[in-house]
Each structure stands twice: as C-alpha cells, then as structure tokens.
Amino acid sequence: MASTSAEIIAFLLTISGWVLVSSTLPTDYWKVSTIDGTVITTATFWANLWKTCVTDSTGVSNCKDFPSMLALDGYIQACRGLMISAVCLGFFGAIFGLIGMKCTKVGGSDQTKAKIAFLAGLIFILSGLCSMTSCSLYANRITSEFFDPSFVAQKYELGAALFIGWAGASLCIIGGSIFCFSIAENSNSSRRGYAYNGAASVMSSRTKVHNSVPDKTPPKHFDKNAYV
C-alpha cells in the first residue's frame, strides 16, 4: 500500500514538472532588461530561445526572429536541443509511468511493472537533467555578460522562464527518484511474501490430528499366571 501511494505521488510530481518544463520552452521572458525614464519605464527588452523583442511604454512590442539556425550562437542551439529533449523524454516517461504503476491494469506481473516504473524514473531524471542544464547554461551566459566590464552591448537579467524551468526540472528529478526507489520496495515485499512455512504447518497438523483422535486401544487383561 505504501509503495502504491509513493508511485502516485511520484507520478503527480513528474507530471507537474513536465508541464512546467513544457511551458518554459515557448515562454517569452528568458532574459529581460529595461530602460527607465524619469517617471516610467520607457522600454523593456526581452528574449527567449526563438526571438528577441522590445516593448515600449504603450505596450506595443516589436519582435525579430533569430536568423538561420546555423548563424545562431552555440549556447542557444544547445539550449534548444536540451529543452526539446526534456519535453520528449517527459512524454515517454509519463507513458511508462502509467504502465508501471500498481494501480493500473496493464503492464503484466508486479515484477514487470516494477521494472517499467524504474525505467520511467530514469527517463524523468534524464528529462529533469536536460532542463536543468539548459536553464543553467542560459543563466550562466546572462550572468557572465552582466558582470563583464568589457561587455558594452545590452545587458540582461534572469527572466521568469528560467526559474520555471528550474522548478520543473527539480520536480522531475524528485519524482523520478521516487519511481526508482519503488522497485527496491517491491522486491523486498515479494521476498517476504514467499516465506516457507511448510514444515511448521505439517507438524502442527499432525499434532492436531494426534490430539483429536481418541485412543481406542482395548485395555490389556492379565491372568493370574502373569504374576508368577
């Protein structure tokens, strides 16, 4: 029962993390910068993995898509690939997680379902690591440019999408770890279920039969010559 509850909690954590990771990919604010006037913010610059934009004080946005993928910076290409891999791995992990859970009717025996749940846990951990690496790589580029005194171009700060990606990656890793540990609990419970009690049961049954059957042996009669 405890293993089933742990698997349900792990599945909810991993699905929540996968949804957050998936929503991070098209989110606008991966990095953001503002130009302040005397009273209000005159312009806001922001960018993600696909385009860079500027929004003025009236709310009008002008965006420019990134050029050909071959002309992009290497870190943007790496972040794109890692995030797409994280989303795809999370999708397959969700399928294997549903099959491997004890509360579902598909997947075969308990041992087979435990192995499938373990595989789902590994896939979710890989998905979380991909998302964590992508967000950390992008954040490292932002911070290195921000604190570089020789960098004269527009400096940005960390956007909300990075924090959402880190949160989703953490949930995927935690839920995947719970899935992996559930196979150890399943193996221990199966060993306890096959304890051998045959000898004790046979001896106890023989004792019960012996005690329940009355002694019908006729009494022995001795004649007087037996005492001579």
Side-chain angles (χ1 to χ4, degrees), residues 151-199:
F151 186 77
V152 296
Q154 180 72 33
K155 293 185 178 182
Y156 291 87
E157 296 182 0
L158 303 180
L162 296 177
F163 299 98
I164 297 174
W166 281 325
S170 300
L171 291 178
C172 288
I173 293 173
I174 293 173
S177 302
I178 297 175
F179 266 128
C180 292
F181 286 126
S182 66
I183 189 174
E185 187 174 352
N186 290 333
S187 61
N188 292 332
S189 62
S190 62
R191 289 178 183 176
R192 290 194 299 266
Y194 285 101
Y196 178 71
N197 295 322

Side-chain angles (χ1 to χ4, degrees), residues 94-150:
I95 294 176
F96 285 118
L98 280 174
I99 297 174
M101 293 175 65
K102 285 185 176 180
C103 57
T104 57
K105 301 298 183 181
V106 294
S109 61
D110 290 340
Q111 295 181 353
T112 303
K113 291 173 73 68
K115 294 178 181 179
I116 296 175
F118 181 77
L119 178 60
L122 289 180
I123 294 175
F124 274 118
I125 291 175
L126 289 176
S127 175
L129 290 176
C130 288
S131 177
M132 187 77 70
T133 305
S134 176
C135 294
S136 299
L137 181 62
Y138 200 91
N140 179 67
R141 181 60 177 262
I142 295 173
T143 54
S144 62
E145 291 178 353
F146 186 86
F147 292 106
D148 187 5
S150 60

Side-chain angles (χ1 to χ4, degrees), residues 15 18 20 37 44 49-51 60 62 71-73 99-100 108 115-116 127 139-140 152 186 188 205-206 219 222:
I15 291 298
W18 178 61
L20 289 177
T44 301
L49 298 178
W50 315 102
K51 58 186 177 180
V60 178
N62 294 317
L72 285 176
D73 293 333
I99 297 174
K115 294 178 181 179
I116 296 175
S127 175
N140 179 67
V152 296
N186 290 333
N188 292 332
S205 61
R206 288 182 178 178
F222 300 97

Side-chain angles (χ1 to χ4, degrees), residues 25 117 136 201 227:
L25 187 59
S136 299
S201 61
Y227 297 98

